[in-house]
Amino acid sequence: MEKRADLKSLLQYLPLVAQSSSLVWPPSVEQELQTMSRGPNKSMVNSGEVLALHITNMRKSLSLNASDLAPNPLKGYAIFFDKMISREESTKFFGEVVPALSGLLLRLPSMLEMHYQKTDHVLDGVKSGLRLLGPQEAGIVFLSQELIAALLACSFFCLFPEVDRRLKNLQRINFDDLFSFPSMSHCTKQENKIKCLIHYFERICRCMPTGFVSFERKVLPLEYNPHYVSYPEADHWAKSSTPLCSVEIHTSGAIEDQCGEALEVDFADEYFGGLTLSYDTLQEEIRFVINPELIAGMIFLPRMDANEAIEIVGVERFSRYTGYGPSFQYDGDYTDNKDFDTLRRRKTRVIAIDAIPNPGSTQYKTDSLLREVNKAFSGYLHQCKYQSDASFFPNPLPSAKVSQVVESSKRWCIDHEEKIGVATGNWGCGVFGGDPELKIMLQWLAISQSGRPFMSYYTFGLQALQNLNQVIERVALQELTVGDLWSKIMEYSSERLSRRTRLGFFSWLIASLSA
């Protein structure tokens, strides 16, 4: 078992040990889990304070250093379960959820062994086992919701080794930072993030979901590759004759609530999951706590490079919420009624792409524009649909190769249907400080060139986009192509950098089209 390359790449980051070709818990950890699985009457684990003691014991048995944890995290378990929630809620959690999670973890070794036995046959020979899926390594990991639940239970009990994760550009994955409660000003939003995750554990302990989730690292090759589309340079965007796709504007609502089928954009950090397991609450982190199965990707997906995106298919939503940032609040149970595909994944498609943080005036430089449009393009590009616009793509594939690539990709791709567009919003425009007028246009280019039929855009009431409909209609009236709009962006950016204009892009574009 330990000789498998996929398992070997991740084994040092798992709390299990390989023994006689099997995966096992250290005996003392297994004993702790067995004790807790019997319920509070036997284990006496009936409060956050006692739970913290058992977590400490298990970590010592795994030879995990206390210094690897955030300051006072285990005290946070006592604060949350003994003070922040009602005694009734706490009693229910320790009476039902902790025993169930402990029993789930007892089965983790056998679940992983079964996973690796089956993984080579899930996607018709395509490698899909749990492994470290590093930068520039295009590939897919296919996990059952039950296995994900067990991995997240490890995070809750802080059992993952954190040593050397940063050396591989991996996020911290234990819940210690989330429970650290550094100051009262952060407590409300932090408390509500934890409530979303606790609700997830309550749900899966009552009824374990039986579907699957895939995590795919998508890479747009920087150099010519005879099997895939290569990273486009600026002149390729300028020469594109692809028509711009249709646009739907939503001034209210949220991306995850859109009713149609679309690729849902997660405004990601370069580190997948960003600050989900800390006290901050940005839009990305909200998505990760209402769809907690996304967090599992943080275990094995290192930082994204500029030519990469991460696509997740199949995650289930468990919680409702209200507010944003400091006003974020857990708002009860959510029943996810999305249909399943033939691989038993929910038809929820999330694409994580990271924008340039705090770009300032450099966002108008050609390198920055190219980086952003290609980052979006790497996420939106159909993996199962070759784009035949020879005026755009460098080194187009021979028709025989096209057929080969498309046929190979269709083995796991579910979004090759013509109707699948993109639901997105103000990517990189909040705390990242991007120009929203520029960013929507770059996304429009990427979505159109990638072959998606529409862009469903959520403005979240941003004042800077109040004239968006007018601009979209004017561009459509002029029948601009992707190349035309890219050239307009380049012209505007040059004038903006040289201070020949102080207009926003929308006003400048309308004036330019009128002239």
Side-chain angles (χ1 to χ4, degrees):
M1 177 66 66
E2 70 272 18
K3 293 181 180 179
R4 289 187 59 107
D6 43 13
L7 172 59
K8 189 176 181 180
S9 72
L10 201 64
L11 188 56
Q12 65 177 313
Y13 305 113
L14 296 176
L16 305 175
V17 294
Q19 187 179 86
S20 301
S21 299
S22 297
L23 295 173
V24 298
W25 286 106
S28 51
V29 176
E30 184 174 11
Q31 185 177 351
E32 286 277 0
L33 292 172
Q34 287 176 345
T35 299
M36 289 194 295
S37 71
R38 298 187 183 107
N41 291 335
K42 297 287 187 181
S43 67
M44 304 305 293
V45 180
N46 54 12
S47 70
E49 185 176 4
V50 178
L51 175 62
L53 291 174
H54 281 260
I55 290 175
T56 300
N57 290 338
M58 287 190 289
R59 287 182 56 80
K60 287 180 179 177
S61 298
L62 290 166
S63 300
L64 302 180
N65 296 325
S67 59
D68 294 336
L69 296 179
N72 301 317
L74 301 183
K75 182 180 177 182
Y77 284 79
I79 293 174
F80 180 80
F81 289 107
D82 303 341
K83 295 180 180 180
M84 286 187 165
I85 62 176
S86 69
R87 187 59 193 165
E88 181 182 1
E89 291 173 308
S90 182
T91 299
K92 181 180 179 182
F93 184 79
F94 289 108
E96 299 176 9
V97 180
V98 170
L101 291 182
S102 301
L104 182 65
L105 284 181
L106 286 169
R107 293 191 292 110
L108 177 58
S110 61
M111 289 167 60
L112 275 172
E113 289 182 16
M114 184 66 69
H115 165 77
Y116 286 114
Q117 288 171 11
K118 292 184 175 181
T119 188
D120 295 334
H121 310 288
V122 172
L123 298 177
D124 193 22
V126 175
K127 184 189 295 185
S128 64
L130 179 60
R131 64 193 185 280
L132 192 66
L133 201 54
Q136 305 304 312
E137 185 182 347
I140 192 167
V141 169
F142 197 83
L143 304 175
S144 71
Q145 288 183 279
E146 184 178 30
L147 179 53
I148 289 174
L151 293 171
L152 295 186
C154 285
S155 294
F156 174 74
F157 289 123
C158 297
L159 300 181
F160 283 109
E162 295 283 8
V163 176
D164 295 338
R165 284 185 63 84
R166 269 296 180 181
L167 294 178
K168 288 289 188 178
N169 290 312
L170 288 163
Q171 288 275 59
R172 294 178 64 88
I173 191 60
N174 290 321
F175 285 6
D176 55 297
D177 200 19
L178 192 60
F179 277 94
S180 63
F181 295 104
S183 69
M184 290 304 294
S185 63
H186 292 124
C187 281
T188 299
K189 59 184 179 182
Q190 201 166 345
E191 175 187 351
N192 281 278
K193 287 171 73 171
I194 295 173
K195 284 182 176 179
C196 288
L197 296 173
I198 294 303
H199 176 66
Y200 161 75
F201 287 128
E202 290 172 345
R203 279 274 305 273
I204 59 102
C205 288
R206 284 200 307 269
C207 181
M208 181 63 69
T210 59
F212 291 84
V213 180
S214 63
F215 299 81
E216 180 183 359
R217 183 180 286 272
K218 302 169 73 172
V219 180
L220 194 60
L222 295 174
E223 299 180 356
Y224 169 66
N225 185 311
H227 299 291
Y228 298 100
V229 172
S230 301
Y231 192 86
E233 298 297 338
D235 62 332
H236 294 110
W237 286 103
K239 293 175 182 177
S240 173
S241 59
T242 301
L244 293 167
C245 68
S246 63
V247 180
E248 305 166 1
I249 307 299
H250 305 272
T251 55
S252 61
I255 293 171
E256 65 269 14
D257 292 327
Q258 56 91 25
C259 56
E261 287 197 39
L263 195 64
E264 301 171 10
V265 178
D266 169 47
F267 309 144
D269 186 275
E270 61 180 344
Y271 286 92
F272 183 68
L275 301 173
T276 299
L277 300 182
S278 73
Y279 52 79
D280 283 313
T281 311
L282 306 176
Q283 193 64 30
E284 178 187 18
E285 284 70 58
I286 290 175
R287 190 65 197 261
F288 273 60
V289 294
I290 65 173
N291 294 85
E293 290 160 339
L294 289 168
I295 296 172
M298 295 168 64
I299 298 171
F300 57 88
L301 289 167
R303 184 189 66 198
M304 286 182 280
D305 286 340
N307 62 324
E308 297 181 322
I310 293 171
E311 182 171 351
I312 310 94
V313 181
V315 289
E316 182 173 352
R317 181 174 170 184
F318 291 86
S319 299
R320 298 182 185 275
Y321 74 95
T322 60
Y324 177 79
S327 64
F328 170 75
Q329 286 192 323
Y330 166 71
D331 195 37
D333 182 56
Y334 181 89
T335 301
D336 195 329
N337 294 314
K338 286 282 184 72
D339 291 335
F340 290 84
D341 71 351
T342 56
L343 295 174
R344 290 169 60 196
R345 301 177 295 187
R346 287 184 185 274
K347 290 188 177 182
T348 297
R349 310 159 177 85
V350 178
I351 190 74
I353 51 173
D354 57 297
I356 299 174
N358 306 312
S361 62
T362 63
Q363 66 187 301
Y364 304 106
K365 293 183 176 180
T366 300
D367 286 349
S368 296
L369 295 171
L370 191 61
R371 188 272 183 197
E372 298 296 78
V373 73
N374 282 341
K375 165 63 73 166
F377 184 57
S378 68
Y380 305 152
L381 181 66
H382 281 284
Q383 292 298 312
C384 346
K385 181 178 178 182
Y386 173 73
Q387 303 298 309
S388 58
D389 184 352
S391 68
F392 176 78
F393 286 105
N395 306 311
L397 300 178
S399 58
K401 285 291 185 183
V402 172
S403 175
Q404 175 184 332
V405 171
V406 171
E407 186 59 37
S408 174
S409 300
K410 281 186 178 178
R411 285 181 286 188
W412 73 78
C413 183
I414 68 169
D415 67 348
H416 59 277
E417 302 98 327
E418 293 295 324
K419 63 183 178 181
I420 301 301
V422 176
T424 187
N426 308 325
W427 173 55
C429 301
V431 295
F432 273 34
D435 181 340
E437 296 183 21
L438 193 65
K439 280 294 199 297
I440 184 176
M441 293 297 161
L442 292 173
Q443 288 197 80
W444 196 8
L445 293 177
I447 292 167
S448 301
Q449 191 63 56
S450 66
R452 304 283 176 179
F454 67 86
M455 174 173 69
S456 187
Y457 197 91
Y458 291 77
T459 66
F460 300 100
L462 190 64
Q463 189 70 16
L465 299 180
Q466 61 180 335
N467 297 325
L468 180 55
N469 265 318
Q470 177 187 351
V471 175
I472 296 296
E473 290 172 3
R474 189 60 182 270
V475 170
L477 185 65
Q478 296 281 341
E479 298 184 346
L480 298 187
T481 64
V482 165
D484 294 333
L485 183 55
W486 171 262
S487 297
K488 289 292 184 184
I489 291 173
M490 292 290 289
E491 183 182 350
Y492 167 77
S493 296
S494 175
E495 292 190 12
R496 182 70 181 256
L497 286 170
S498 63
R499 299 183 180 179
R500 295 197 303 274
T501 184
R502 294 187 177 182
L503 294 175
F505 181 67
F506 288 177
S507 298
W508 180 92
L509 181 63
I510 293 296
S512 175
L513 294 177
S514 298

